[in-house]
Amino acid sequence: MRALTFSLLIGLSLILHAQSNISGVVTDKAGEALLGVNVYLKGTYDGATSGLDGAFSFETLETDSLILIVSFIGFHEVEIPLKPESRKLNISLKEKITQLNAVVITAGSFNASDEQKREVLKPLDIVTTAGATADIPGALNTLPGTQTVGETGRLFVRGGDGRETKTFIDGMLVHNEYGPAAPNTPSRSRFSPFMFKGMSFSTGGYSAEYGQALSSALILQSKDLADNNRSDISLMSVGADLSTTRSFGKSSIAGKVQYTNLTPYFELAPQNLSWDKAPEEINGNFAYRLKTSKTGMLKFYSNLSTSNLSLFQTDIANPEVELPVKVSNDYAHFNTSYRELISEKWGVRSGISYTKSNDLASLDSDSREQKLRGYHTKLVADYQHSDRVAILFGSEVLGRKVEQELMDETGSFNQNFDEVVKASFVETELFASAALAFKIGARMAHSNLNDEIILAPRISAAYKTGEHSQVSVAYGQFNQAPQTQVILTNPESQFEKSTHFIGNYQWAREGQSFRVEAYEKQYDNLTKYQSVFEASSFRFNGDGFARGVDLFWRDNKTFKEMDYWVSYSYLQTERNHREYPGSFTPSFASTHNVSIVGKKFIDEIKSQIGLTYSFASGRPFNDLNSEKYLAGKTPAYHDLSFNISYLYNSQVIVHAMVNNVLGINNIYGYEFASQPDGNGVYASRAITPPAKRFIFLGIFITLSKNKGINQLPNL
Amino acid sequence: MKKNLFILLTAFCVTFVQANGQFEKAMGKNIPAMFSSNDPESLQAVINQFSRIGEAEGDRWEPYYYAAFGYLRMSGMYESADDKDKYLDLAMKEVEKGEAISELNSELESMRGYVNMIKLTVDPASRGMMYSGLAFTSFQKAIKLSPENPRAHFLLGRMQHGTAQFMGGGSEEACGSLFKALVLFDKKGQSDNPFAPSWGKDSTQEAIKEICEKG
């Protein structure tokens, strides 16, 4: 009995522990051998790593219900149940489409992000670009596809008017995103660049998720949870600000109070304008972030500001007469957004925003008071079917209530409208392979004002032509309500429409990128009128076109510690809209725009210096003394700006900036008197910058336990 | 009899596996191999072993720690930022797998900071802000979790040195951390876990020589 038991035991353990060999070859779908693949038996240590020829081989003592796992970076993992007779295997793995290897549709868009390397811009670039004065639109104006329109400071994209570019924060539309400014002086964006971790600036063909913009969408993503406590103090030639951030692990708050007053600066630096009260502004920001779960994030952001200015403007016809001009604005914007992954495949985003803006502008005894109340709600779901198919869909409601009161000596006149645009959108992203991607989407929108339903298809595709190069194309239809004044006069105004066709080639490798993009944009349903105050003269049959080529080259590799980019835009555009008697190139369009931006860090003086040169060819203006419409042409625009940031120590930075170093007399256009003089000639005046140069000085101090943090990225 | 046989059999098998000391043996072999592998192929093979061990065990964080370290070393074997980032992202994934098993682990937190510190060096100009914050936070948190962890102090010292070099500033702070690390390395018998990380003394001495004793 004992002997039997013993021999039984030996026999059993032999069966249990007999070694067997498992071997094979791992390739990809194209049959190329894969090196470094982890091939092993599930739940055991037994396995091997494939060699250069894709071959693997290992011994195992295991016998029962074996499952072989084949796992390799960038490929779909497979599990193979092993049969006792099949111990030699040929395994082929399917490549995963990931952020790292997938082609990205780049037609029409410039992205800036800290997280993705393939982007042509970083958020930091926005704030270190000379001449941009740390203004987001200021920096984006150095990219191709934009036109310099110095007297507004806004983003004019590919023959589009400034209002054809809309700003979205965390997916929510922002109304009145620019602060107020004196007539013909540039305004600044209300939103400071260091609030954002990423941005996408689309010069056309953008996603179906965004609407109400004919030309361009500027999509900003605010920063996530802060993980450091810090406080910053900035002392500037134009004011001061104080900000603080507190981190509580799963939540954080950030607040900033900024006071700007240009009076002292204008006392020192003579201005062309005769200021009564230089611009003064108090601006407060508050942000709250809450990590609701591992994948959930709630963001709240608000911006409150009040500003005013007043000056005297000479009457064009009678230069000895000075008329008082007053501008004031009270503004509040609240923005809440929430995102969460419900499961591995499903995600949701939602948001609600509210904007309140009261504007008052007066010239002599005429005044205009305008109150805007805007809201936006949105719900978006996305479903990731696989690494090759994803779908996004959602709905939104955009409401806007505008009341206007016009006053002159004769009395007052009130107009208002209450607009509600409801829209739904769907967009699918398809990868035929890692090298070929499509995005197909559509947007449906309805406005209560004209009871019109529009359907706007959007399609784009990209194909990787080589390791460093790719081509992409985009087509899309875009709609936008006409300018506010048009709707006030005629609330039944129709949507204006544009159609984009874009082709793009991009070449990029580490430290260098080149892109060229050609586009054609058609405008339809533009508003035409005799006078913007005469509803009966309105027609919605205006049209136009814009076409051109944009070039971009960026290089931070060739020269040590130096980074530079060059943009060139060629634009041809005409429109028949508003009061135009036919098809003409609008006064905001210039044929050639060039920007050259350079930045260099000089170790010896612990400073970063920046230079920006901008050029724009002459723009048309309507010379009332000429028979021809819009026949005048301004001289070309040149600007050379310089900035320097000096690291005094790790937490104190001194920053200086000079715009228009060369002191060139730029002329943006001409204004004319409303009536001709005795000789039948309309008196005129050049529109110029309020001062030849703008000089800025600031000291930025950071208080933080963490010595690695300073305000450099904020400058 | 049948019952006896069953018990005997089971006991036999159990002893066999335990005596084998599979985990100890495998870790004992692969930890030095991870440090000595000097090409991506052999390093990947070692990392693959760690991930097999980690998955088979299910409750040990150490294999993931070393897999992360392996990918961190791997990132240094490539020139291009894309490749470096790819392996650093993989390293971070391994850290996260470890953290899922062992929360509030000073060694894993140090490794998290280490990965972020190397991410920073890939593109200091544009990543400085974000990644220096992440790295400092991790090192400080790691020290809080275990004030005696010499690697947390060593890495913090390196980070302080890098920051001082980039921003301008002396090396006193960095040297303070490095000397502190050295003292802790010399303190014997601090861990009863033979597979807990024990590397770093030589690197600390080298760093001190380079940064603090140069004059």
Side-chain angles (χ1 to χ4, degrees):
Chain A
M1 192 64 218
R2 244 181 224 182
L4 180 71
T5 314
F6 188 72
S7 60
L8 198 74
L9 265 176
I10 299 286
L12 265 173
S13 71
L14 275 178
I15 296 165
L16 276 172
H17 303 297
Q19 288 211 345
S20 64
N21 178 276
I22 297 170
S23 64
V25 173
V26 195
T27 59
D28 65 9
K29 289 285 171 197
E32 291 285 318
L34 295 174
L35 162 73
V37 181
N38 197 2
V39 188
Y40 60 101
L41 294 174
K42 190 172 188 174
T44 76
Y45 288 23
D46 300 342
T49 297
S50 68
L52 265 174
D53 50 359
F56 66 91
S57 167
F58 63 93
E59 306 292 325
T60 182
L61 296 168
E62 313 278 336
T63 50
D64 287 331
S65 57
L66 299 182
I67 294 173
L68 191 73
I69 297 186
V70 187
S71 157
F72 188 48
I73 306 149
F75 285 77
H76 287 281
E77 186 175 294
V78 292
E79 293 196 3
I80 304 167
L82 280 188
K83 290 183 200 118
E85 65 276 13
S86 66
R87 295 282 151 122
K88 267 195 169 306
L89 301 119
N90 285 314
I91 304 160
S92 87
L93 294 181
K94 190 175 174 189
E95 197 182 359
K96 240 189 230 173
I97 296 173
T98 64
Q99 275 200 344
L100 280 173
N101 66 9
V103 64
V104 179
I105 299 173
T106 49
S109 86
F110 279 97
N111 294 314
S113 156
D114 279 328
E115 283 149 26
Q116 286 177 314
K117 300 157 298 292
R118 279 190 288 183
E119 314 295 23
V120 291
L121 274 186
K122 304 266 178 206
L124 189 59
D125 291 326
I126 306 289
V127 291
T128 54
T129 297
T133 61
D135 182 41
I136 296 172
L140 297 180
N141 263 323
T142 65
L143 295 181
T146 60
Q147 278 86 53
T148 301
V149 184
E151 71 275 27
T152 72
R154 297 183 183 218
L155 281 169
F156 286 70
V157 176
R158 292 186 170 167
D161 193 347
R163 66 174 195 89
E164 292 175 26
T165 300
K166 283 280 164 71
T167 302
F168 300 86
I169 294 179
D170 294 328
M172 310 309 291
L173 178 72
V174 181
H175 292 280
N176 289 23
E177 64 273 34
Y178 294 95
N184 292 323
T185 64
S187 47
R188 286 172 63 83
S189 163
R190 295 181 192 271
F191 303 101
S192 144
F194 70 85
M195 278 174 43
F196 303 102
K197 63 167 184 179
M199 54 188 76
S200 162
F201 174 48
S202 169
T203 50
Y206 51 87
S207 157
E209 188 185 334
Y210 302 97
Q212 290 298 313
L214 285 178
S215 284
S216 163
L218 173 58
I219 299 155
L220 305 168
Q221 281 155 341
S222 66
K223 283 188 174 164
D224 287 330
L225 199 64
D227 42 27
N228 277 296
N229 289 344
R230 61 181 287 176
S231 294
D232 295 307
I233 303 166
S234 309
L235 303 168
M236 297 165 285
S237 52
V238 296
D241 64 50
L242 211 88
S243 65
T244 187
T245 303
R246 290 281 164 267
S247 167
F248 311 104
K250 294 217 179 301
S251 68
S252 67
I253 54 168
K256 179 172 183 174
V257 181
Q258 184 171 354
Y259 175 72
T260 312
N261 189 336
L262 283 145
T263 307
Y265 176 71
F266 287 169
E267 298 276 324
L268 290 168
Q271 303 286 304
N272 297 338
L273 298 172
S274 82
W275 288 100
D276 173 38
K277 188 165 180 318
E280 184 183 18
E281 184 190 16
I282 300 172
N283 188 322
N285 284 299
F286 177 78
Y288 173 69
R289 305 279 179 261
L290 175 66
K291 207 169 160 120
T292 54
S293 72
K294 228 178 166 164
T295 49
M297 175 75 79
L298 177 78
K299 290 178 174 181
F300 171 78
Y301 169 74
S302 68
N303 179 313
L304 302 165
S305 75
T306 174
S307 57
N308 64 75
L309 58 94
S310 63
L311 54 105
F312 294 100
Q313 206 169 50
T314 54
D315 189 58
I316 301 172
N318 311 296
E320 66 282 2
V321 178
E322 288 207 318
L323 305 171
V325 175
K326 279 195 171 101
V327 176
S328 73
N329 171 257
D330 290 316
Y331 185 82
H333 177 74
F334 304 93
N335 187 325
T336 307
S337 64
Y338 173 68
R339 66 178 153 78
E340 174 66 290
L341 287 176
I342 301 174
S343 68
E344 236 169 63
K345 301 201 157 191
W346 282 94
V348 284
R349 278 187 284 138
S350 67
I352 179 161
S353 77
Y354 177 78
T355 311
K356 175 186 154 179
S357 183
N358 290 353
D359 288 280
L360 182 73
S362 70
L363 171 64
D364 201 13
S365 56
D366 294 2
S367 73
R368 190 194 67 187
E369 194 180 354
Q370 198 156 304
K371 287 183 181 166
L372 173 127
R373 304 284 178 274
Y375 67 86
H376 183 189
T377 61
K378 189 175 196 173
L379 183 63
V380 187
D382 58 85
Y383 174 68
Q384 185 81 37
H385 175 70
S386 68
D387 59 336
R388 281 154 202 267
V389 180
I391 184 161
L392 170 142
F393 54 93
S395 282
E396 60 183 350
V397 181
L398 292 135
R400 186 163 60 128
K401 188 175 177 169
V402 178
E403 291 169 36
Q404 186 185 60
E405 187 177 20
L406 299 170
M407 276 197 290
D408 61 17
E409 290 129 330
T410 61
S412 71
F413 177 61
N414 289 291
Q415 305 184 96
N416 66 74
F417 68 83
D418 206 338
E419 177 193 44
V420 180
V421 175
K422 291 178 182 151
S424 293
F425 48 87
V426 57
E427 194 166 71
T428 329
E429 196 171 17
L430 303 165
F431 283 92
S433 70
L436 180 61
F438 299 92
K439 224 182 228 180
I440 301 161
R443 180 180 175 85
M444 204 166 82
H446 170 266
S447 164
N448 67 324
L449 294 178
N450 45 36
D451 203 24
E452 179 187 14
I453 294 177
I454 50 117
L455 183 70
R458 318 233 170 127
I459 300 166
S460 51
Y463 179 67
K464 221 184 232 180
T465 49
E467 202 189 332
H468 301 293
S469 62
Q470 64 166 69
V471 289
S472 43
V473 290
Y475 160 84
Q477 289 184 11
F478 303 85
N479 300 84
Q480 182 175 359
Q483 65 193 108
T484 308
Q485 196 60 54
V486 167
I487 312 178
L488 278 166
T489 311
N490 180 354
E492 278 162 34
S493 300
Q494 283 179 30
F495 280 131
E496 298 183 328
K497 182 181 161 192
S498 68
T499 309
H500 302 181
F501 302 87
I502 301 166
N504 161 304
Y505 170 81
Q506 182 165 313
W507 175 91
R509 66 170 188 191
E510 232 166 293
Q512 289 178 323
S513 60
F514 168 75
R515 55 187 266 167
V516 52
E517 193 160 291
Y519 62 91
E520 163 92 30
K521 177 155 70 173
Q522 290 162 4
Y523 284 98
D524 292 293
N525 306 351
L526 299 180
T527 316
K528 286 187 62 61
Y529 46 76
Q530 306 284 316
S531 155
V532 74
F533 297 108
E534 223 176 284
S536 65
S537 72
F538 280 35
R539 303 284 179 274
F540 301 98
N541 59 359
D543 59 8
F545 71 86
R547 60 178 72 106
V549 178
D550 294 342
L551 295 171
F552 181 74
W553 165 251
R554 178 163 192 182
D555 175 9
N556 55 29
K557 195 175 159 189
T558 310
F559 307 103
K560 200 175 165 269
E561 298 207 33
M562 173 163 170
D563 181 12
Y564 71 93
W565 70 81
V566 181
S567 307
Y568 168 73
S569 316
Y570 171 75
L571 167 71
Q572 214 186 342
T573 181
E574 278 184 19
R575 287 180 182 213
N576 180 7
H577 74 157
R578 302 192 183 168
E579 71 282 9
Y580 287 20
S583 208
F584 295 93
T585 301
S587 59
F588 51 77
S590 40
T591 311
H592 307 279
N593 274 271
V594 179
S595 291
I596 303 168
V597 177
K599 298 169 189 188
K600 186 170 170 60
F601 194 86
I602 303 173
D603 282 325
E604 291 77 28
I605 53 168
K606 290 199 292 177
S607 298
Q608 170 162 302
I609 55 167
L611 270 180
T612 299
Y613 169 70
S614 307
F615 165 85
S617 59
R619 292 194 270 138
F621 67 90
N622 192 24
D623 186 349
L624 291 184
N625 296 316
S626 161
E627 296 285 301
K628 287 189 191 153
Y629 190 71
L630 271 169
K633 195 132 199 197
T634 66
Y637 167 89
H638 301 269
D639 177 86
L640 183 71
S641 294
F642 169 79
N643 69 5
I644 180 164
S645 303
Y646 166 63
L647 290 169
Y648 173 73
N649 67 29
S650 68
Q651 304 201 323
V652 177
I653 293 165
V654 182
H655 183 76
M657 185 204 74
V658 186
N659 282 12
N660 195 12
V661 177
L662 306 176
I664 291 157
N665 288 309
N666 283 309
I667 292 172
Y668 297 137
Y670 290 89
E671 295 176 292
F672 290 85
S674 51
Q675 302 295 328
D677 61 18
N679 304 323
V681 174
Y682 289 90
S684 71
R685 172 173 67 201
I687 301 171
T688 59
K692 232 178 218 174
R693 295 184 185 86
F694 180 68
I695 299 166
F696 173 92
L697 278 171
I699 300 171
F700 301 89
I701 302 157
T702 300
L703 309 171
S704 166
K705 264 206 300 196
N706 180 343
K707 292 283 175 13
I709 295 176
N710 60 37
Q711 290 200 63
L712 182 64
N714 300 354
L715 297 180
Chain B
M1 188 58 227
K2 256 188 187 169
K3 197 175 157 196
N4 279 346
L5 181 67
F6 179 69
I7 292 168
L8 197 69
L9 262 177
T10 326
F12 188 81
C13 295
V14 169
T15 4
F16 191 92
V17 172
Q18 282 210 333
N20 196 359
Q22 212 185 179
F23 179 75
E24 287 75 9
K25 224 166 140 185
M27 292 297 278
K29 182 175 134 253
N30 284 305
I31 294 171
M34 194 279 291
F35 286 104
S36 62
S37 299
N38 281 323
D39 61 275
E41 288 76 30
S42 52
L43 192 52
Q44 184 68 58
V46 176
I47 294 168
N48 285 351
Q49 301 226 33
F50 281 122
S51 63
R52 295 202 284 269
I53 298 168
E55 260 180 60
E57 294 297 330
D59 60 353
R60 301 298 299 242
W61 59 272
E62 298 91 339
Y64 295 114
Y65 176 90
Y66 290 105
F69 206 152
Y71 279 128
L72 190 80
R73 290 199 61 225
M74 187 93 101
S75 75
M77 298 177 181
Y78 288 87
E79 283 302 312
S80 91
D82 277 355
D83 285 330
K84 282 178 186 291
D85 276 344
K86 175 175 145 186
Y87 289 110
L88 290 168
D89 290 347
L90 286 166
M92 195 53 99
K93 273 204 186 125
E94 299 295 332
V95 170
E96 281 161 7
K97 281 187 204 163
E99 286 170 341
I101 291 164
S102 171
E103 258 189 294
L104 303 176
N105 181 316
S106 175
E107 295 290 357
L108 285 169
E109 193 64 49
S110 304
M111 182 54 70
R112 172 178 278 275
Y114 198 177
V115 173
N116 281 323
M117 182 163 89
I118 304 301
K119 274 223 123 181
L120 186 163
T121 61
V122 174
D123 184 3
S126 65
R127 291 190 183 172
M129 183 67 186
M130 183 175 161
Y131 286 99
S132 76
L134 289 173
F136 271 117
T137 307
S138 281
F139 297 143
Q140 280 150 1
K141 194 171 158 196
I143 291 171
K144 220 181 214 171
L145 287 169
S146 165
E148 303 271 273
N149 179 355
R151 279 160 295 281
H153 291 278
F154 162 62
L155 291 166
L156 176 66
R158 274 188 54 181
M159 189 67 208
Q160 287 164 332
H161 174 63
T163 306
Q165 275 202 319
F166 189 70
M167 295 292 179
S171 50
E172 304 79 26
E173 209 181 13
C175 291
S177 299
L178 291 172
F179 281 119
K180 179 107 192 248
L182 197 59
V183 170
L184 292 171
F185 273 120
D186 287 336
K187 242 180 170 175
K188 293 275 180 218
Q190 43 179 320
S191 178
D192 48 4
N193 174 0
F195 306 108
S198 61
W199 63 274
K201 190 175 170 183
D202 292 348
S203 314
T204 305
Q205 283 169 330
E206 270 170 43
I208 288 175
K209 218 185 238 167
E210 191 199 343
I211 301 163
C212 314
E213 290 169 1
K214 236 183 180 173

